[in-house]
Amino acid sequence: MSTLFEVRNLRKNFGGLAVTNDVSIGLAPGDRVALIGPNGAGKTTFVNLVTGNLKPDSGNVFLGNEDITTLRAAERVRRGLIRSFQVTRLFLDMTPEEHVALAILQREGQAGRVVGHYSGRPALMQEVREILHQFGLLELSNIKAQEIAYGQQRLLEIALALALRPKVLLLDEPAAGVPQSETARIEAALKRLPADLAVLMIDHDMDLVFRFAKRVIVLAAGTVIFDGLPKDVIADARVREAYLGNYADAGSVA
Ligand SMILES: Nc1ncnc2c1ncn2[C@@H]1O[C@H](COP(=O)(O)OP(=O)(O)OP(=O)(O)O)[C@@H](O)[C@H]1O
Ligand SMILES: [Mg+2]
């Protein structure tokens, strides 16, 4: 399948340490890829670099046929390269309805306008309701984000990413900090993502990773040490040494 998103020879040093060390990765429409690796491997840094939140030292990022390496973060979002954050970034005083409406306005290039006017736009409100419904958040539409459970806050963040109509979605630990009892909802939401969307998800929960991913990329000390099928990752000697030794030895193979 054709490549939609491609990263070539990306490098970033922090104070002499190569945090992103010649990383090359490609995603095609419909991909479900997990990016895994030990704490500090450079996973979040990778997402920061490709989304324009950090400037790489060298290398290139392509979306479709366009080299987007030097574009501002907002311009990448407009082109459909969307991320979520490892730690929640919601406005705790705002409701789910206001968040989704704002995301849609942002997508339409109107986020600078007074948010209060959105409720007078039936088509926009209809879309807001559909998105909230899709994530099981409709009943919470008008409750401040700070008053809803953390698992639902994280669902709202995925909803916001989708409201921006991504072509490529980068999810940085979408289930991080969520109690085990609520992760099933997040997993269900991930299952229902649009089929043609290219998704790269970072997570440490290997059972979730193996249920989600059709392909696994392992990053260790800034370097891609594995890029292949989930069934092969556990057996890989370098991966076992760097990350998954304990998981493999525990016998919980996907
Ligand atoms: N702004 C920064 N300045 C200096 N060093 C940084 C900066 N951001 C990250 N680092 C370092 O880069 C390395 C990679 O960090 P990163 O957050 O990308 O890891 P990660 O794989 O996402 O880890 P985790 O699984 O814990 O989220 C770490 O050693 C971190 O301390
Ligand atoms: Mg991280």
Side-chain angles (χ1 to χ4, degrees):
M1 202 184 269
S2 64
T3 302
L4 169 63
F5 174 68
E6 191 176 357
V7 175
R8 278 189 213 152
N9 306 108
L10 203 65
R11 286 183 184 273
K12 180 73 180 177
N13 284 293
F14 283 129
L17 180 75
V19 178
T20 306
N21 186 15
D22 202 24
V23 168
S24 297
I25 283 173
L27 295 179
D31 265 354
R32 294 293 184 269
V33 175
L35 177 63
I36 64 172
N39 293 119
K43 303 180 298 296
T44 297
T45 301
F46 171 80
V47 173
N48 286 336
L49 289 171
V50 301
T51 53
N53 297 104
L54 258 181
K55 196 174 168 313
D57 296 332
S58 60
N60 294 83
V61 184
F62 298 87
L63 187 62
N65 293 322
E66 187 183 13
D67 186 335
I68 61 166
T69 315
T70 59
L71 287 188
R72 288 188 306 118
E75 287 164 352
R76 302 183 203 211
V77 168
R78 210 168 300 141
R79 283 163 175 76
L81 177 61
I82 313 290
R83 71 168 305 173
S84 72
F85 288 87
Q86 187 166 352
V87 178
T88 320
R89 293 223 169 169
L90 297 173
F91 299 101
L92 292 176
D93 269 345
M94 277 172 53
T95 66
E97 182 182 287
E98 288 166 341
H99 275 98
V100 177
L102 194 61
I104 295 170
L105 288 169
Q106 181 186 347
R107 184 187 80 210
E108 293 179 344
Q110 301 181 15
R113 294 178 52 185
V114 182
V115 182
H117 290 321
Y118 73 85
S119 58
R121 292 181 48 188
L124 186 147
M125 284 308 292
Q126 178 63 24
E127 188 183 346
V128 168
R129 278 193 292 271
E130 278 169 16
I131 291 171
L132 290 173
H133 175 70
Q134 187 188 337
F135 286 85
L137 297 170
L138 198 54
E139 312 81 80
L140 306 173
S141 296
N142 296 309
I143 298 175
K144 285 184 179 177
Q146 64 195 355
E147 285 160 26
I148 66 179
Y150 195 69
Q152 288 168 319
Q153 292 184 19
R154 306 242 60 176
L155 277 174
L156 177 56
E157 292 192 291
I158 302 172
L160 297 179
L162 268 197
L164 295 169
R165 301 231 174 112
K167 294 191 179 86
V168 178
L169 181 60
L170 310 172
L171 298 168
D172 194 353
E173 302 197 28
V178 176
Q180 201 69 38
S181 57
E182 292 178 46
T183 54
R185 289 202 216 191
I186 292 177
E187 195 172 342
L190 296 177
K191 275 218 178 78
R192 290 196 307 268
L193 291 171
D196 60 345
L197 180 62
V199 186
L200 180 141
M201 179 184 74
I202 297 170
D203 215 283
H204 288 286
D205 177 343
M206 291 313 299
D207 295 320
L208 174 61
V209 161
F210 283 124
R211 285 197 296 267
F212 168 82
K214 304 276 181 290
R215 188 174 131 215
V216 177
I217 298 170
V218 185
L219 203 58
T223 304
V224 173
I225 60 166
F226 179 91
D227 184 342
L229 296 175
K231 72 178 178 60
D232 297 328
V233 73
I234 296 274
D236 186 274
R238 287 173 79 189
V239 175
R240 289 176 76 104
E241 189 181 339
Y243 188 47
L244 287 181
N246 291 341
Y247 184 85
D249 293 340
S252 37
V253 180

